Amino acid sequence: MTELATTPQAKALHRQFVEDVMSMPGGEKIRICQQCGTCTGSCPTSYLMDYGPREIIAAFRAGMIDRVVKSNTIWLCTSCYSCTVRCPANIKITELMYELKRLAIKYDLTPKDSKSPAMTKYFLDSVRKHGRNHEVELMAKYMLTKDWSLPFKFMGTGLKLFLAGRLPLAAKDIRGRDEIGRISAYLEAEEAKAR
Amino acid sequence: MAEDKIAVYFCHCGTNIAGKVDVEKVTAWAAEQPNVVVAREYKYMCSDPGQDLIKDDIKNLGVNRVVVAACSPTMHEPTFRKAAADGGLNPYLLQMANVREHCSWVTEDRDDATAKAKRILNAQIHRMPFNESLEPIEVPVNPAVMVVGGGIAGIEAALKLAQSGKKVYLVEKNPSIGGHMAMFDKTFPTLDCAACILTPKMSAAGKHPNIEMLAYSEVTQVDGYVGNFKVKVNKKARFVNTDTCTGCGLCLEACVVRKVPNEFDVGLSKRSAVYIPFPQAVPLRATIDPEKCLTKKGKKCKQPCVAACGPGAIDFDQQDEILELEVGAIIMATGFQLWDPAQDARYGYGRLDNVITSLEFERISNASGPTGGHIVCKNGEAPKSVAILHCVGSRDQNYQEHCSRVCCMYSLKFAHLIKEHLPETEVYELYIDMRSYGKGYEEFYRRLMDEGVHMVRGRAAEVTDVALSPEEEGRLVVKTEDTLLRIVRRIPADMVILSSGLAPASDAKSVAQTFGFGCSANGFYLERHPKLEPVSTVTDGIFIAGCCQYPKDIPDTVAQAGAAAAGALALVDNPTVKVEPTISYIDPEKCSGCHICVSLCPHVAIQYNEEKGVAEVISAACKGCGVCVAACGSNVPQQRGYLDDQIFAEIEGAMAV
Amino acid sequence: MRYLYYPGCSGEATGKAYDMSTRAMMEKLGVELAELDDWNCCGATSYFNTRELDSFAIAGRNLAIAQKQGDEDLCVTCNACYTALEKANHYMAESPRIREAVNGALGSVGRSYDGSKHVRHIMDVLINDIGLDAVKEKVVRPLTGLKVACYYGCQYSRPWGIFDDVEFPVTMDHLFQALGAETVDYAAKMKCCGGMMMLTKEEGALRMCHELLYCAEREDADVVVCACPMCEMNVEGYQPRVNKAFGTSFNIPVMYFTQLVGLALGASSKELGIDKQIVSCDRVVAAISA
């Protein structure tokens, strides 16, 4: 039993997580996971994970949510879908990973040293601002806030890309860019109503 | 109808019915209904005391109609009808009202269930005055039995029946009997040589005076009904006279066509156009493959086979022979096919060398196989490492959902055979669960662990030839998560054996249709009841045995074959069999001879009488399906036991409450 | 033939050559591409990481625009954009909850979408609509003698395998065979390139790209062709970093498949943005022009 699983808050969190995952189309299929390991075996980044996708499903079923969100697993998923197409129980593992990422962000349970959540946030900011993802802005923001070594690592490549015209500095705003923000506002309001 | 005295019995069925339906209330209500002289409730009507209630009331109260409100007729209609008969009442004057499967088991609310039970019961109470006495039809039974499929199941069933004095037709579509078992090397868990234990039975079947061997033959049409099947069998032309051929094999050597993939070796070796499948074939006769033989294809050939044949048995003009056989029962033992792993590209089957199926390994390991029993890779060298992958195509919602039962055990057997031949070779078993459930199986598993086989719990993710380290150069790599060690392993292997699952035969569905029974969702033949009637089908007189019913090992196959033989014997050992009289009857006075029912009858049980100009039901063939009753525009055919009056009365009764 | 066209955000930046070469190739094939008016980001993987319904809704915005703009199918070039947009279709059809939310969200900005717009990958269009015979006819510079490694990547046929097999796709190979090239047995053809991980966890992505390059080199491929700006960036742009991390000396040209097809159809290197490639494609161009 972990600390998260024993406190009332933890139990409530687990219930919430389960409810959210079960409401995904096909989410209930994690109940029939045979723990065969095909997903972890197929995953190109599982060797880097604290717990492979198979263990994440086992931990989830056992209520060990802390393992699920505190581990680096879900943030190392590249959504390549190899697991999903091979899973003999037809579990949409990639979608589960997305859902767990969303839940981790929602409940502010991301691991301190993971950089992916930040990348994600900047991506969203860029899209909300311009309507499209401005790659230069995204990379610049990320590098400057999360990884100072990157500008040095990519100096050579970056220069070549810039000279090839593949890194436009100016962002192209779409006319309807405010719609993106309004869509989000609408959905947030609906979610608040439901709660 | 004159003096209807209906007795109503309401069964509690423990709490199955009484737990949901207010039995007392409904029984009291029933007692008030017209024509009901007595209404009783009892805990278990199917018990002896329960049945005695029925018998006693018939004798003492002169009851002449009985309604038993209880479970489904599928369960106990025969029980109660026999009780009625024992009490002196015609069994067809008893009906059941299904207030369990149709009511208490499927209704949530107690009041709703009670109201529904009343309606179901009232329907039968209203129907009873219209029920007539019916006498079962007794039809003669042909004592001969046909066994379709000459593998171990078919052979065993045929021998049992033959030994009990019955005539058996053993029909096998391949040139020899033996089935898949003849292809195996050793069998688990005893490691008996498959051929050594099979060939004596094959030989006995070939020699038994009561068994008529119809090898290289296929059933094309089945008509008739229990005790009286008429089967058309196509005895395919071998283009070899089986009376004079001695099976000496000289024609095989002489034949100029040498490169035909040998089916018995799963394509790993070649045969000639004229061939004997394997040396111990029964019957030991040559066969000419008309698709490969130059003469049969209309091409020029010196026909050295003719020259080589001492008895002069080659006969290119031989024709297929259609046999029309009559049997009383049929046993289906048509076996399985191996799931084709080419369907899942991640195993590399068909693309990568040395990825082989289980059947291919059986042949490689077998001393009479393409490599003379030497376990070697394609390049002729012995593998230093072999990975055996479980659950290929099985337990997988993308392919076959079911577990194939035998693969864990045969995989362990392979590990043993490899270790026996090549003690220095590393063997890896990649499994999800080790299913070693049978007698001696767990011990066999332990033996293999003791032999140093590496048990890796993980379903292989993929087989690749991409080497990411020097040890992997030039070898196959099996990538899998070792779930117990929690790491992803890249296991280098020189040979990968895919333990592919057992699938239904490719023609299972069409064969089932020809014979008139069905298949289950996974494609195997459907048994009448999964626990209580595993070897019968819903069609009386047709039995199933072996892997055609579901994957199973040899011990279970032989057991099922014996059970099917017993079932068939129970039928054909009697001179007659009783057939339900609830069949159609066409009043010749009312029939206009329009032919609609004749063409619609699915059992070909209605014939047109030219002289009288009317349709007539062949009582023995009619199965009482009711199609003719529904189809006739003039409402002429009536199904006994389901007359229009009876049905309308039921409807009225149900609506009246 | 006419299609609505969704270039994707990368098409204006790192993937500029993909957009350029797609337009040039389609022009040679006589197919009209009408760029989606005021299209927005598809959401790719990042949006799905954060907000489920938002992702479907912004993808849905594009589909709503497409529906209004014309009856033609929506042709998408980038694997990730293709999957993101198709996902919106899939989940709106499968889940009433998602459908309702997306419809509500679109409604709040005065748009609507009924779920009926067909999203097509450009390869699907090439193989199944235009047809390889028609493409063959227009070949001006056959790719004879060129060894091509077709790199499909993840989101080309996964997860649904709509127009090609999930485990062993072959459509790109067929296309290049039709153009006269020799397609090599590229063992890593459907493996992941690492995507965004090149920035967030470099070691993982570098290892994956190393395998991709290793398999290409193993087959002596002259060029690797791909269908996604992310893949192209990782396999091409980061080749020097792969070399540094693994002590290799890969120097394999990587092109968008549309660039190579465009060359075969006679488009100029400039039109196709060949000069935008980091690893020089001179050898490839020379081999074809010879």
Side-chain angles (χ1 to χ4, degrees), chain A residues 19-36:
Chain A
E19 203 182 292
D20 281 337
V21 167
M22 292 299 164
S23 73
M24 271 169 52
E28 71 285 349
K29 287 226 161 150
I30 65 171
R31 290 198 280 250
I32 60 170
C33 168
Q34 319 165 348
Q35 291 288 296
C36 68

Side-chain angles (χ1 to χ4, degrees), chain B residues 152 155 178-188 190-202 264 278 280 359 362-363 365-368 413 417 554:
Chain B
I152 178 64
I155 292 169
H180 280 104
M181 190 175 165
M183 296 164 73
F184 298 163
D185 181 20
K186 308 277 192 298
T187 56
F188 59 80
T190 46
L191 299 169
D192 292 299
C193 151
C196 306
I197 56 176
L198 178 64
T199 44
K201 288 205 184 238
M202 284 170 62
F264 193 73
F278 52 99
Q280 305 99 322
L359 269 180
E362 294 275 3
R363 297 313 302 154
S365 167
N366 195 311
S368 66
K413 173 187 80 177
L417 293 171
I554 294 168

Side-chain angles (χ1 to χ4, degrees), chain A residues 13 36 44-45 53 61 64 68 78 80 90 103 105 112-113 121 123 135 140 142 153 161 168 185-186 193 195:
Chain A
L13 194 65
C36 68
T45 55
R61 292 197 302 200
M64 296 174 138
V68 174
T78 61
C80 76
N90 268 352
L103 289 170
I105 288 181
K112 294 289 171 273
D113 58 344
K121 178 174 186 311
F123 190 101
E135 290 183 331
Y142 176 77
K153 282 186 198 162
L161 287 170
Y186 170 88
K193 264 194 246 164
R195 267 184 262 121

Side-chain angles (χ1 to χ4, degrees), chain A residues 29 32 34-38 40-44 46-47 50-52 54-55 85-90, chain B residues 344 346 394-398 431-433 457-462 479-484 486-488:
Chain A
K29 287 226 161 150
I32 60 170
Q34 319 165 348
Q35 291 288 296
C36 68
T38 303
T40 306
S42 305
C43 178
S46 65
Y47 74 98
D50 299 327
Y51 304 99
R54 174 189 62 85
E55 286 187 294
V85 301
R86 289 180 180 172
C87 174
N90 268 352
Chain B
D344 192 342
R346 66 197 172 98
S394 298
R395 304 182 62 188
D396 192 332
Q397 307 238 315
N398 299 306
Y431 69 98
I432 310 174
D433 297 293
R457 189 194 177 276
R459 183 168 173 266
E462 63 192 40
K479 193 165 171 235
T480 182
E481 183 197 7
D482 183 328
T483 63
L484 297 175
R486 303 177 58 237
I487 55 169
V488 175

Side-chain angles (χ1 to χ4, degrees), chain B residues 586-588 591-593 595 597-598 606-609 613-617:
Chain B
I586 297 175
D587 187 341
C591 174
S592 65
H595 278 79
C597 59
V598 179
I606 306 183
Q607 61 193 16
Y608 182 70
N609 185 322
V614 295
E616 280 173 351
V617 175

Side-chain angles (χ1 to χ4, degrees), chain B residues 19 25 106 121 175 224 230 276 291 296 308 350 425 491 526 538 563 575 656:
Chain B
K25 188 169 163 197
V106 296
L121 180 54
K230 289 185 179 31
I276 293 175
E291 296 190 6
K296 290 312 294 180
T425 297
I491 299 174
L526 184 62
V538 289

Side-chain angles (χ1 to χ4, degrees), chain B residues 21-36:
Chain B
V21 174
D22 188 340
V23 178
E24 283 104 24
K25 188 169 163 197
V26 181
T27 310
W29 168 86
E32 312 277 296
Q33 299 314 303
N35 298 317
V36 176

